[in-house]
Every structure is written in structure tokens, then in C-alpha cells.
């Protein structure tokens, strides 16, 4: 009798918390008409939610996704949710992009540069979370390769278009888990040791350091760069996390009650991509649409520059 009572109490508490927190309000007051936005990993989770909201705001949204079939299906669903609009009132475009393949990143950028006359916003959203040890097509540890190096190359190849489209914005999705990461230059590829949690945190710290260094390099160009953490969100990002079968009902209840929905989690990405409040703001870190402080290790400019230099060599921008 005790366990059912506890479960009922937890359920009522969870429901009350959800009610108090309320549903996220989409930032659809502004307009992104005439703006072109690229979102990586836009077929699910945060990326999908951001794509839908920016489409509502009349942006031309390019979904850069690894699985084209899943992306096309997501695009059809988003169009149905948002509703058909008149020509010039927003557009959703699917393009194949596998961040675990530098060849794919280069092909994606080549097509964008051929087909797009402008790029107003780049949202580096896609990510891999705590996967078993595996390597990308180019031999990089998967989390560091996808979360940092793939986006590093993507952004660099699109910088010319971003500059020509200024004022423009780069938005980098990181995580609060950066706090547990360290940039170990002796083992960036985790050849000596691998811990899936620490390596994820390392990749998210690398995201912030990259955004900080990129913002410094782009001063005066009209291109702003900011990073963010979305909070704890119910997405398929945690598919590699094993939860004991008996604990799943409790986990599902807790996640329903206390985790953000994808739309709630995407609000800061949408805000940084579209809000006039952050026009000209660069090199900052945000959470819940507000600027937040970083730990000193995420503001170490010497480490950021060294990471940049090594990343250039790793992705083939420099020999």
C-alpha cells in the first residue's frame, strides 16, 4: 500500500509542477521573413522544434540532417503543423549532412554556397551524447568529431557567406555538462582512455571555447557568435544511456514532470537566432534566454586559440 501511495503522491506532485511551470510560449512575435537559417540535426528534438518555430516566423530553414528519409518525414510533419503559407512566407528545405564525415560536411557546404545567395543564421545544434567508443569516418572519437570538429569545419566553410550576409549570427548549442570536461591536448581523440560522460563534457566545453574564439576573430564583421545550454530536455539524445527496466516507469514520470519539452528547450536557440534584443551581442553564453556566467576554464583564451589551431589541422583546413 505504501508504494502505490508514494507513486500517486509523486504523480500529483509532478502534475502540479507541470501546471505551475506552464507550456512554453513560442517566440513567434517577430518575423524572420527574407532570412535564411541553417539548423544541423533539425529532424528531431531541439532542432526540429527550432525549425518549426523559425518557419512560423517566415524564415527559409535549411535542415541539415544525416538521415535524409527521416528528415523528409519530419519536414512534412512540420509543414502540416505550421500550415501552408503563401510564396515568400517561409520555406523548409532538407539537405543531407553527416557531421561524422568531413567529406559530407564539405559536400553540404559546397551545395549551400552554390544555391544560397545569403545565410543569416547558422545554428550548430546536432550532437551525439555518451555513445560507446566509436570513430567517425575520418578516425575521430565520435563525440568530439561530431559535436566539435564537424561543426568547426561547417562553420569555417560558411564564414564567407555569413560575412557577406551581415548582420548575421552563429548559434552554438552546448550544455551545462561542459563543467565536467577538460581539454586534454595529449589525448583529444581519446586513444589513451575513454569515458563517455567525460568525453561528452569535453566536446561541449570545446563548443564554448570555439564560439568564444570565433567571436573574437569575427569582431567588426557584423557576424555575432553566441553559445547556450538548453537545459535538461526530453529528446532522443539520451538513446545511448541505459536505464534499468524496473526504473523506467519512475524515470519516465520524472522526465515528464521536470524535463523540458523540445519546444521549451529550443527557446534560447530561437531567441539567439531571431531576437532584436541580442543584435550585436557576441561571445556570450546563454541559458533560458538570459546571459549566464561561465567557469574560468570556458573563458581561457589561450586554450581556445590552441584548440582552434589544432582543430584546423585535424579537419584539413591547414596542413
Amino acid at each position: 500500500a505504501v508504494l502505490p501511495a508514494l507513486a500517486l503522491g509523486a504523480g500529483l506532485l509532478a502534475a502540479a509542477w507541470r501546471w505551475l511551470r506552464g507550456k512554453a510560449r513560442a517566440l513567434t512575435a517577430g518575423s524572420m521573413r527574407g532570412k535564411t537559417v541553417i539548423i544541423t540535426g533539425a529532424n528531431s528534438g531541439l532542432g526540429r522544434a527550432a525549425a518549426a518555430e523559425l518557419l512560423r516566423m517566415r524564415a527559409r530553414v535549411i535542415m541539415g540532417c544525416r538521415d535524409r528519409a527521416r528528415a523528409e518525414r519530419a519536414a512534412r510533419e512540420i509543414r502540416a503543423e505550421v500550415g501552408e503559407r503563401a510564396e515568400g512566407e517561409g520555406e523548409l528545405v532538407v539537405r543531407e549532412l553527416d557531421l561524422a564525415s568531413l567529406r559530407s560536411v564539405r559536400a553540404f557546404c559546397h551545395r549551400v554556397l552554390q544555391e544560397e545567395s545569403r545565410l543569416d543564421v547558422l545554428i550548430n545544434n546536432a550532437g551525439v551524447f555518451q555513445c560507446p567508443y566509436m570513430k567517425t569516418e575520418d578516425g575521430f572519437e565520435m563525440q568530439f568529431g561530431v559535436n566539435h570538429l564537424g561543426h568547426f569545419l561547417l562553420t569555417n566553410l560558411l564564414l564567407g557567406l555569413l560575412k557577406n550576409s551581415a548582420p548575421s549570427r552563429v548559434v552554438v548549442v552546448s550544455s551545462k555538462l561542459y563543467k565536467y570536461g577538460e581539454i586534454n591536448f595529449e589525448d583529444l581523440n581519446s586513444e589513451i582512455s575513454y569515458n563517455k560522460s567525460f568525453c561528452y563534457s569535453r566536446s561541449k566545453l570545446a563548443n564554448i571555447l570555439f564560439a568564444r574564439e570565433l567571436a573574437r576573430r569575427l569582431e567588426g564583421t557584423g557576424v555575432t557568435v553566441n553559445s547556450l545550454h538548453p537545459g535538461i530536455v526530453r529528446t532522443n539524445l539520451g538513446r545511448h544511456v541505459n536505464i534499468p527496466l524496473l526504473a523506467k516507469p519512475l524515470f519516465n514520470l520524472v522526465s515528464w514532470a521536470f524535463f523540458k519539452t523540445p519546444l521549451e528547450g529550443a527557446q534560447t536557440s530561437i531567441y539567439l537566432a531571431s531576437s532584436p534584443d541580442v543584435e550585436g551581442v557576441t561571445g556570450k553564453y546563454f541559458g533560458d534566454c538570459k546571459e549566464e556566467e561561465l567557469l574560468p576554464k570556458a573563458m581561457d583564451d589561450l586554450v581556445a586559440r590552441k584548440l582552434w589551431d589544432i582543430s584546423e589541422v585535424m579537419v584539413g583546413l591547414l596542413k
Side-chain angles (χ1 to χ4, degrees):
V2 175
L3 287 176
L6 287 173
L8 178 61
L12 291 172
L13 179 63
W17 175 258
R18 289 290 298 174
W19 181 79
L20 286 170
R21 193 171 72 183
K23 294 183 178 180
R25 291 184 62 189
L27 301 176
T28 53
S31 174
M32 291 287 283
R33 181 182 292 161
K35 307 276 190 181
T36 297
V37 182
I38 290 177
I39 308 176
T40 65
N43 61 287
S44 64
L46 297 174
R48 185 191 186 284
E53 292 309 305
L54 290 167
L55 181 64
R56 280 193 178 93
M57 297 164 76
R58 300 175 174 84
R60 172 178 165 81
V61 180
I62 300 173
M63 302 168 64
C65 304
R66 179 177 57 84
D67 188 324
R68 187 176 185 88
R70 287 180 59 198
E72 293 285 6
R73 184 164 61 250
R76 288 194 296 272
E77 292 169 355
I78 291 170
R79 291 187 192 104
E81 290 169 15
V82 174
E84 293 297 327
R85 295 185 180 274
E87 189 175 347
E89 293 285 298
E91 185 181 5
L92 209 54
V93 180
V94 173
R95 294 287 180 263
E96 191 172 326
L97 171 63
D98 183 358
L99 289 157
S101 164
L102 299 183
R103 175 181 48 80
S104 176
V105 173
R106 291 180 185 279
F108 172 85
C109 292
H110 179 73
R111 184 168 183 180
V112 167
L113 295 175
Q114 279 191 321
E115 297 179 348
E116 305 299 328
S117 60
R118 63 181 303 107
L119 176 57
D120 300 276
V121 183
L122 171 61
I123 303 179
N124 290 337
N125 165 82
V128 180
F129 179 71
Q130 294 192 10
C131 61
Y133 185 77
M134 57 183 76
K135 291 185 176 182
T136 68
E137 178 180 290
D138 305 279
F140 305 127
E141 185 274 313
M142 186 63 71
Q143 295 186 90
F144 190 74
V146 169
N147 299 354
H148 170 60
L149 292 175
H151 283 119
F152 179 87
L153 178 61
L154 175 78
T155 308
N156 272 281
L157 294 179
L158 296 176
L159 275 185
L161 187 56
L162 283 161
K163 290 176 183 177
N164 290 338
S165 308
S168 54
R169 306 179 183 189
V170 178
V171 178
V172 179
V173 179
S174 182
S175 166
K176 272 189 175 181
L177 293 176
Y178 85 86
K179 296 176 181 181
Y180 306 102
E182 300 292 341
I183 304 298
N184 178 7
F185 289 111
E186 302 303 315
D187 192 26
L188 277 181
N189 208 35
S190 302
E191 301 282 359
I192 299 172
S193 65
Y194 179 72
N195 177 293
K196 62 183 183 180
S197 298
F198 292 154
C199 286
Y200 177 76
S201 295
R202 174 191 291 171
S203 73
K204 295 290 103 179
L205 175 58
N207 287 157
I208 296 171
L209 291 168
F210 163 62
R212 185 176 179 86
E213 175 63 10
L214 181 61
R216 185 188 70 81
R217 289 171 179 251
L218 291 176
E219 285 179 4
T221 65
V223 184
T224 61
V225 189
N226 293 291
S227 59
L228 69 104
H229 75 84
I232 305 176
V233 187
R234 292 196 310 276
T235 71
N236 65 357
L237 188 65
R239 59 188 177 276
H240 294 296
V241 178
N242 293 319
I243 300 169
L245 187 62
L246 293 176
K248 280 190 175 180
L250 179 59
F251 175 80
N252 291 337
L253 177 63
V254 169
S255 66
W256 173 79
F258 300 106
F259 291 11
K260 292 181 178 180
T261 65
L263 177 58
E264 290 169 338
Q267 290 303 300
T268 306
S269 294
I270 299 165
Y271 173 75
L272 291 175
S274 63
S275 176
D277 294 346
V278 288
E279 187 172 344
V281 175
T282 191
K284 305 300 182 182
Y285 173 74
F286 287 78
D288 292 325
C289 301
K290 295 185 291 290
E291 186 181 335
E292 295 190 0
E293 293 296 318
L294 286 164
L295 294 181
K297 66 181 175 182
M299 298 187 291
D300 190 324
D301 290 334
L302 289 177
V303 172
R305 291 174 194 178
K306 184 174 180 179
L307 178 63
W308 181 286
D309 292 341
I310 291 174
S311 298
E312 279 188 316
V313 175
M314 292 179 81
V315 302
L317 289 174
L318 283 181
K319 298 298 182 185

